[in-house]
Amino acid sequence: MLLAGGQGSRMGILTLNKAKPAIAFGGKYRIIDFVMSNCINSGIDTVGVMTQYQPLILNQHIGIGIPWDLDRRSGGVTILAPHIKRETGEWYSGSANAVYNNMDYINSYNPEYVLVLGGDNIYKMDYSGMIDFHKMNKADVTVGVVEVPPEEARRFGIMNANADGSIYEFEEKPKEPKSNLASMGMYVFTWDKLRDALIADNKIHHDSDFGKHIIPGMLAEKKSLYAYRFSGYWKDVGTLESYWMANMDLIRTVPEFNLYEEFWKIYTDADHQPPQYLGPASDVRSCLVSEGCEIYGSVFNSVLGPDVIVEEGAVIRDSIIMSDCYIGKNTGLERCIIDDGAKIGNNVAIGIGENVPNEDKPGLYNTGLSVVGELSVVPDGIRAGKNCVIFGKTDYSDYENGCLASGKSVMKIEEVVQ
């Protein structure tokens, strides 16, 4: 059961029109591709994807599961949207509530074990090892955990465990953590135990959540809980900065996370694209450049999605440019995230000046990253600073003398009423 319905509000305008798991990552992939690929590589061929917030792009991307070999008569992938039961219906109001509302789907397969996964992390993992660990310990619940730096432990749900892996305490974002075993939001449940817990908790909490309610509740009832340690690369791309850093990890000389391993492929729904073209005056260094790109300018330390055009004289540094974007002549971009289909005009500069937090949302935009939203247009000659947000089809009059100071935003969210 794959949880893919969250809004991902800390991703700013990147999730304005799409669910967080549908955000592009590593050029041609989307975030959800990694957990979907983990499933099929682990021999799991029955996957329920619970969607909710802005699901259109995500649903189109998953389709009937062909890229992951999940287009099957029995099992395969099933999109599970919120639905009406009897006279009433409601949105999923928590991670456990989403699974509770799909118990009929789970029961139809009569499983012994259920694997619950988040759809918004970047990692490679063979889930069969975690399931075997669960069986070996005759556990009711096995929680995937990863060791994080002690100074960061307070940002996570922390599992305190004995030497044999048995969990005796769970702390949600503790001020003074007793360990650094952070929950990955990944669980193996013995189904009859989870089913009973979901039914009981739904009577108490309308917003039933695994981390807040189910796991603490099962601990209180002295159920058998174990921590399964994962030692590989794992990134929670929950913020713009962590998302940017995870993309930058891909372009190191020896990347810690390798997209190209034959024995553990990452699959995606990608059209067949023409090859990349580098013009005679182009300069491309330490980059990940996807199929169909045409580069006539300079690109350094950046990730480019499919069908990106970079015109002559343009200079892109330390940036993420998603698919179908156009970067005009003599334009400079530094520490920028440019969403799908955006058009940046000629002689534009974005990412210059001082690092001033965004005045509207300082908690989201404060690390120097400037973001241009999906299908947005930035006209010729605009100069924008750091932590700027641009969304919509803007024109020169939307900027003060053609400038957008650091920490400022231009938002033109147009609603079309049919």
Side-chain angles (χ1 to χ4, degrees):
M1 299 297 285
L2 206 165
L3 297 160
Q7 180 178 354
S9 57
R10 292 182 299 163
M11 298 295 282
I13 60 171
L14 297 184
T15 54
L16 198 60
N17 293 320
K18 57 179 171 284
K20 178 180 168 184
I23 295 175
F25 183 88
K28 66 180 182 180
Y29 302 98
R30 295 189 185 273
I31 290 174
I32 199 169
D33 291 338
F34 296 87
V35 66
M36 293 281 287
S37 298
N38 285 342
C39 285
I40 197 62
N41 288 332
S42 301
I44 296 171
D45 58 12
T46 304
V47 180
V49 182
M50 292 165 286
T51 63
Q52 178 162 281
Y53 174 81
Q54 293 284 22
L56 179 61
I57 293 175
L58 185 61
N59 291 352
Q60 290 174 336
H61 181 69
I62 295 173
I64 59 174
I66 292 175
W68 306 275
D69 193 28
L70 289 171
D71 52 327
R72 305 176 182 219
R73 287 184 179 273
S74 177
V77 65
T78 303
I79 302 294
L80 301 168
H83 53 277
I84 293 175
K85 290 185 176 180
R86 302 181 182 90
E87 296 85 13
T88 62
E90 60 181 15
W91 296 110
Y92 299 145
S93 53
S95 58
N97 177 262
V99 176
Y100 170 82
N101 278 287
N102 287 289
M103 287 199 301
D104 289 345
Y105 166 77
I106 300 173
N107 283 328
S108 69
Y109 291 98
N110 192 29
E112 189 172 355
Y113 306 105
V114 173
L115 177 65
V116 178
L117 303 167
D120 53 5
N121 297 312
I122 306 299
Y123 65 109
K124 296 178 184 177
M125 180 178 180
D126 187 346
Y127 300 132
S128 62
M130 184 174 174
I131 295 169
D132 290 343
F133 179 85
H134 180 86
K135 293 177 181 178
M136 180 184 69
N137 288 291
K138 297 181 172 59
D140 298 320
V141 188
T142 298
V143 182
V145 298
V146 62
E147 292 188 15
V148 298
E151 63 273 13
E152 295 183 15
R154 61 174 60 94
R155 298 196 297 111
F156 296 91
I158 297 298
M159 297 291 171
N160 298 317
N162 298 308
D164 64 351
S166 58
I167 297 170
Y168 62 86
E169 185 181 27
F170 171 67
E171 299 178 287
E172 180 64 27
K173 298 181 180 179
K175 292 184 178 179
E176 297 183 3
K178 298 176 184 176
S179 79
N180 65 336
L181 291 181
S183 171
M184 300 167 69
M186 172 197 307
Y187 315 96
V188 178
F189 289 95
T190 299
W191 173 232
D192 59 350
K193 300 294 174 49
L194 175 58
R195 181 174 54 209
D196 293 345
L198 290 172
I199 293 171
D201 196 69
N202 187 67
K203 296 175 182 178
I204 303 171
H205 304 109
H206 76 280
D207 58 347
S208 185
D209 182 87
F210 284 109
K212 293 179 182 178
H213 306 123
I214 299 299
I215 299 301
M218 296 182 86
L219 267 175
E221 294 176 5
K222 307 298 182 183
K223 300 294 185 185
S224 175
L225 279 76
Y226 278 80
Y228 179 79
R229 293 174 183 250
F230 177 67
S231 58
Y233 181 95
W234 179 82
K235 277 291 177 71
D236 176 11
V237 287
T239 64
L240 287 169
E241 180 69 12
S242 63
Y243 169 77
W244 178 83
M245 289 180 65
N247 271 274
M248 294 300 108
D249 284 345
L250 302 175
I251 59 176
R252 294 180 179 178
T253 304
V254 181
E256 186 178 354
F257 187 74
N258 189 347
L259 289 174
Y260 310 108
E261 291 171 328
E262 280 295 322
F263 66 91
W264 202 269
K265 290 184 178 180
I266 304 300
Y267 302 95
T268 188
D269 180 24
D271 296 330
H272 293 289
Q273 302 283 351
Q276 301 93 332
Y277 174 75
L278 305 184
S282 64
D283 188 1
V284 180
R285 306 181 195 181
S286 301
C287 291
L288 193 160
V289 180
S290 301
E291 295 90 338
C293 288
E294 298 178 32
I295 302 177
Y296 303 93
S298 301
V299 187
F300 308 117
N301 304 309
S302 297
V303 175
L304 274 60
D307 293 325
V308 171
I309 297 176
V310 180
E311 293 285 13
E312 292 181 9
V315 179
I316 298 172
R317 298 181 186 275
D318 305 318
S319 296
I320 302 168
I321 316 295
M322 299 186 198
S323 64
D324 297 302
C325 288
Y326 175 85
I327 312 300
K329 294 180 179 180
N330 303 313
T331 284
L333 305 178
E334 185 164 348
R335 279 182 62 87
C336 291
I337 300 176
I338 312 297
D339 206 348
D340 297 312
K343 309 298 180 191
I344 313 296
N346 301 323
N347 301 303
V348 172
I350 303 178
I352 59 177
E354 298 181 2
N355 186 15
V356 178
N358 188 270
E359 62 180 11
D360 296 322
K361 295 187 176 180
L364 295 183
Y365 309 100
N366 55 37
T367 62
L369 288 169
S370 289
V371 185
V372 178
E374 182 180 16
L375 300 176
S376 296
V377 175
V378 179
D380 295 348
I382 299 301
R383 299 180 65 80
K386 302 181 186 297
N387 299 312
C388 288
V389 182
I390 300 173
F391 187 89
K393 297 180 179 180
T394 66
D395 54 48
Y396 197 84
S397 63
D398 295 314
Y399 303 84
E400 185 175 347
N401 297 320
C403 295
L404 187 66
S406 292
K408 300 288 186 178
S409 303
V410 174
M411 300 287 289
K412 297 184 73 173
I413 303 175
E414 301 169 350
E415 296 183 1
V416 179
V417 180
Q418 296 183 344

